[in-house]
Amino acid sequence: MSAATGSAVRGRRPAPRVRRRLRLGMSQGQFLGVLTAVFLILLLLMVVQDGAATAGNEVWRGLVLGAIYALIAVGYTLVYGIIELINFAHGDVFTMSAFYSVFLAGIPGVQEGFFKRFLGFDINHLASSGPGGLILALLIIFPIAMTLAGLTGVVIERVAYRRLRDAPRLAPLITAVGVSFLLEGIMFAFFVPPAPPGQPGLGTPGAAYPTGEDGWIPTTHVLLNIGGSHGVVIGANDTMVIVIALVAMFALAGFIRYSRTGKAMRASAQNRDAAQLCGININRTISATFFLGSALAAVGGVVYAMHYHTITWNQGYQFGLIAFTAAVLGGIGNIVGAGIGGFLIGLVEAFTVTLIPNGGSWALIVVFAVLILVLTLQPTGLLGMRVPDRA
Amino acid sequence: MALLEVDSVDVFYGRVRALQGVSIKVDEGEIVALIGSNGAGKTTTLRTISGLVRPARGAVRLAGKPIHTMGAEQIARMGIGHAPEGRRLFARMTVQENLDMGAYSRRDGAKIRHDFAWVYSLFPRLAERRRQLAGSLSGGEQQMVAIGRALMSRPRVLLLDEPSLGLAPILVDAIFDVIREINGEGTTILLIEQNALIALHTAARAYVLETGSVTLAGPASELLASADVQRAYLGM
Ligand SMILES: Nc1ncnc2c1ncn2[C@@H]1O[C@H](COP(=O)(O)OP(=O)(O)OP(=O)(O)O)[C@@H](O)[C@H]1O
Ligand SMILES: [Mg+2]
């Protein structure tokens, strides 16, 4: 039974009364309008409370974090689009990819990386040798980490989800939770050495670096100061996160739109039987979907390691849920929506941190409140499927 | 040797038997019709041929080669095009993209472009709407896309499941003109049609399915004259 027919059948069943009463049933334009209004009001409050410079800095920080959420959210939405599975292990693939980058590059003074150990080549040295070296180092580490993460995703699907494809939907969902625990266990076992603080490098598993210590791009390197030296600081490290995230997401969107495999992915998501009748190999297409989603999460994982210098074996749980919220907010199944949703959730966190006293501890509560609100009031999110599925 | 041969096929959905000992032959260049009342197993027969369901017994052969053990996508690549019941378009893709997917397994770019022109000449309406999302087309237009998509694979055998379903009478005639035209250009066709009259006037031969078994088969002209067929399917 194809996804499209399934949802058509579900759509015909009368919705429970409570739900119908709660739904706002806004059009996408109205929802966008409401969101924009709310965000602008919160932004204004922030400016009034803390001044423009602080507000600007918080918004910028929110966008940087949002870029990482966006990269993870894309994987959720891709997989959901094609097999209607919320892949709870996806956040852990993100964490794992951060560890892959540490494994590859090592942590100077703490742990020798793969390159140094087996190829005699110090990628950290290359990265700090100037802009050209940095770009070269990025071009080396990203494809490798993305491939490793992509294969991780493919193996997970092959081993855990494939045989459950036609099972009741709860079965793969619970399996996904199980895979998540499994991955966290693996990371705990393999990647948690005690880390002496104060060492530069890609990141340190399990322990926080004191602030001011740097990865490949010094945090002190400022690209731009908007509004003078006490204004909004646009750091090079932050900018790198956002630029890399945008490039990766646009590349993916283009791939899905124009490539043969991308078209096969969309076709399989919309009507599996028909896709097969067109000669599309469903298993291969689903594998490709997991590969791409996991590779994008790896982009997030590597920039995360570079930017925040701290990776925790179980952080994927939280990141996954936040990114899932982003995907729902953007409209689950819609790639552009997932990207936008990621940035929006980053902003929500920025608002929470500044507007609520001791807001840091409220961040998760607010994000999940957003999730619940969207799911009950506007389940198709910003850009969810509205085009008739009747074909 | 028949180009397409369904040989004593049994099909089950769970424990329910949908087909029992169904045998059908389609020769190269023929139009063959499959008629029968609702739930007789017509759709199931086509789905078995294109590999979407597996027969519990029996065989399906294309040019003598067994295909019933292959995956649906492999069978499609072997040259069976299927415009399925209910059209099954890619609703959130454009008309052009739907046709593109029909040519998914082909690599002969120049010929594909030629076939686009061919399909658009068969269905000029689609040419005007090539950038429109398939889900927003009218039922008749969607049917044209479904047939066009199946044609884009340049199949040796084209399976059509109720191409006239839900169409205005004038469009039904138009679609059947196109079906004859496609056949005239060398495509073998196996066709399911509720409208037995038009089916028997289009096809050279026909099979009558009743509760999962073939009860009658022969040249269309003979079936048209048969009292049983007249009573049961032609409303005479
Ligand atoms: N997926 C399915 N699961 C269970 N039973 C099915 C399924 N598909 C079809 N059947 C049953 O198999 C029998 C044959 O169905 P089929 O769709 O082949 O009939 P048909 O001749 O195409 O009918 P119609 O003219 O209404 O399209 C019917 O009794 C139907 O209920
Ligand atoms: Mg049918």
Side-chain angles (χ1 to χ4, degrees):
Chain A
M1 171 97 4
S2 76
T5 348
S7 60
V9 170
R10 280 196 306 286
R12 234 179 280 130
R13 197 174 55 199
R17 169 171 294 183
V18 185
R19 236 165 61 206
R20 201 182 317 148
R21 211 186 289 149
L22 267 175
R23 294 254 168 109
L24 296 179
M26 282 186 280
S27 75
Q28 287 176 356
Q30 285 167 327
F31 188 53
L32 184 67
V34 168
L35 272 186
T36 313
V38 169
F39 274 71
L40 284 179
I41 290 169
L42 290 174
L43 185 63
L44 200 69
L45 281 177
M46 237 164 102
V47 173
V48 170
Q49 183 186 301
D50 297 329
T54 309
N57 278 318
E58 286 303 327
V59 164
W60 177 240
R61 266 177 36 156
L63 290 175
V64 172
L65 196 55
I68 291 172
Y69 293 151
L71 287 166
I72 308 173
V74 167
Y76 271 108
T77 241
L78 276 179
V79 165
Y80 185 86
I82 201 163
I83 54 174
E84 294 190 23
L85 168 72
I86 297 164
N87 178 15
F88 277 112
H90 188 59
D92 299 300
V93 173
F94 156 78
T95 317
M96 205 132 187
S97 66
F99 280 118
Y100 288 154
S101 69
V102 172
F103 163 77
L104 290 169
I107 306 163
V110 180
Q111 173 188 330
E112 229 174 23
F114 176 86
F115 290 129
K116 184 81 176 291
R117 183 135 179 215
F118 294 100
L119 307 174
F121 151 65
D122 188 347
I123 193 167
N124 290 314
H125 185 73
L126 174 69
S128 56
S129 70
L134 175 65
I135 289 174
L136 195 59
L138 293 174
L139 286 177
I140 292 171
I141 200 142
F142 271 99
I144 300 177
M146 287 166 74
T147 307
L148 288 176
L151 293 176
T152 307
V154 168
V155 169
I156 291 171
E157 189 274 330
R158 185 64 251 257
V159 172
Y161 304 151
R162 182 170 295 183
R163 60 190 77 227
L164 294 173
R165 203 175 289 158
D166 296 315
R169 287 222 242 154
L170 199 56
L173 199 68
I174 296 198
T175 306
V177 175
V179 173
S180 167
F181 288 148
L182 183 76
L183 293 183
E184 290 185 4
I186 291 174
M187 288 186 280
F188 186 75
F190 285 96
F191 296 119
V192 186
Q199 298 292 338
L202 266 177
T204 308
Y209 268 8
T211 49
E213 285 301 337
D214 292 322
W216 283 2
I217 305 176
T219 18
T220 47
H221 190 114
V222 173
L223 282 187
L224 192 65
N225 253 321
I226 304 173
S229 56
H230 294 290
V232 181
V233 183
I234 305 293
N237 206 357
D238 297 343
T239 309
M240 170 205 69
V241 173
I242 290 186
V243 168
I244 289 178
L246 288 178
V247 167
M249 284 187 287
F250 276 106
L252 179 86
F255 182 84
I256 304 273
R257 189 170 174 83
Y258 297 111
S259 76
R260 203 172 117 85
T261 305
K263 284 182 188 174
M265 284 167 59
R266 283 189 289 147
S268 308
Q270 294 175 35
N271 200 316
R272 197 179 290 169
D273 278 358
Q276 282 183 285
L277 292 180
C278 290
I280 293 168
N281 184 322
I282 299 292
N283 283 336
R284 276 229 296 275
T285 307
I286 291 176
S287 291
T289 307
F290 272 83
F291 187 93
L292 285 175
S294 306
L296 262 256
V299 175
V302 178
V303 293
Y304 181 88
M306 289 176 169
H307 190 273
Y308 296 96
H309 313 304
T310 308
I311 316 161
T312 318
W313 58 278
N314 62 354
Q315 69 182 31
Y317 175 71
Q318 182 175 322
F319 271 83
L321 281 174
I322 294 174
F324 173 63
T325 305
V328 170
L329 178 63
I332 191 94
N334 187 299
I335 297 163
V336 177
I340 295 173
F343 285 106
L344 289 182
I345 294 291
L347 288 180
V348 167
E349 280 204 31
F351 293 143
T352 314
V353 169
T354 42
L355 290 176
I356 301 176
N358 194 14
S361 48
W362 281 81
L364 276 183
I365 298 174
V366 173
V367 167
F368 294 136
V370 169
L371 174 64
I372 293 169
L373 283 176
V374 176
L375 279 177
T376 49
L377 299 179
Q378 189 73 7
T380 52
L382 267 177
L383 300 173
M385 299 157 198
R386 288 298 179 82
V387 176
D389 252 342
R390 67 195 168 113
Chain B
M1 182 179 55
L3 177 57
L4 176 68
E5 189 183 2
V6 178
D7 184 3
S8 326
V9 157
D10 285 4
V11 170
F12 291 83
Y13 289 112
R15 291 224 192 112
V16 181
R17 195 197 323 251
L19 297 182
Q20 179 170 22
V22 169
S23 294
I24 288 171
K25 281 186 180 176
V26 185
D27 286 323
E28 181 116 46
E30 266 192 316
I31 301 184
V32 170
L34 205 53
I35 60 180
S37 45
N38 294 122
K42 307 180 295 297
T43 297
T44 304
T45 306
L46 294 203
R47 286 171 66 84
T48 308
I49 295 171
S50 51
L52 292 174
V53 295
R54 303 230 158 269
R57 210 175 60 85
V60 181
R61 286 182 278 270
L62 181 68
K65 197 169 178 250
I67 57 171
H68 56 280
T69 51
M70 297 180 178
E73 77 277 356
Q74 269 178 299
I75 294 175
R77 285 156 190 263
M78 301 259 316
I80 292 189
H82 187 164
E85 181 171 53
R87 304 184 275 258
R88 304 302 196 95
L89 300 186
F90 306 119
R92 279 168 276 116
M93 294 171 100
T94 63
V95 168
Q96 175 86 19
E97 285 177 323
N98 269 272
L99 297 181
D100 247 347
M101 295 323 292
Y104 178 78
S105 44
R106 292 172 60 182
R107 301 278 188 179
D108 45 347
K111 283 198 183 130
I112 292 176
R113 274 190 293 284
H114 170 269
D115 287 345
F116 266 116
W118 173 54
V119 168
Y120 282 133
S121 74
L122 291 172
F123 301 112
R125 273 284 264 286
L126 297 186
E128 298 162 20
R129 298 174 183 275
R130 66 176 78 193
R131 304 216 176 284
Q132 192 171 328
L133 291 187
S136 66
L137 295 173
S138 81
E141 290 161 348
Q142 291 190 1
Q143 191 62 60
M144 297 176 200
V145 177
I147 297 175
R149 184 178 65 187
L151 285 176
M152 283 306 295
S153 66
R154 270 292 175 183
R156 300 174 72 181
V157 182
L158 177 61
L159 310 177
L160 296 173
D161 197 334
E162 304 204 33
S164 73
L165 190 74
L167 301 191
I170 184 159
L171 256 182
V172 175
D173 289 340
I175 289 269
F176 271 84
D177 285 342
V178 171
I179 290 172
R180 283 188 208 96
E181 196 176 330
I182 296 165
N183 177 249
E185 294 183 30
T187 307
T188 306
I189 294 175
L190 177 59
L191 164 82
I192 293 178
E193 182 51 56
Q194 289 288 352
N195 183 337
L197 194 62
I198 195 164
L200 293 176
H201 279 296
T202 307
R205 293 189 304 114
Y207 292 82
V208 178
L209 265 180
E210 274 173 38
T211 56
S213 299
V214 175
T215 52
L216 213 56
S221 53
E222 277 178 29
L223 292 185
L224 267 173
S226 136
D228 285 346
V229 171
Q230 288 188 354
R231 198 175 335 104
Y233 302 108
L234 299 175
M236 290 185 199

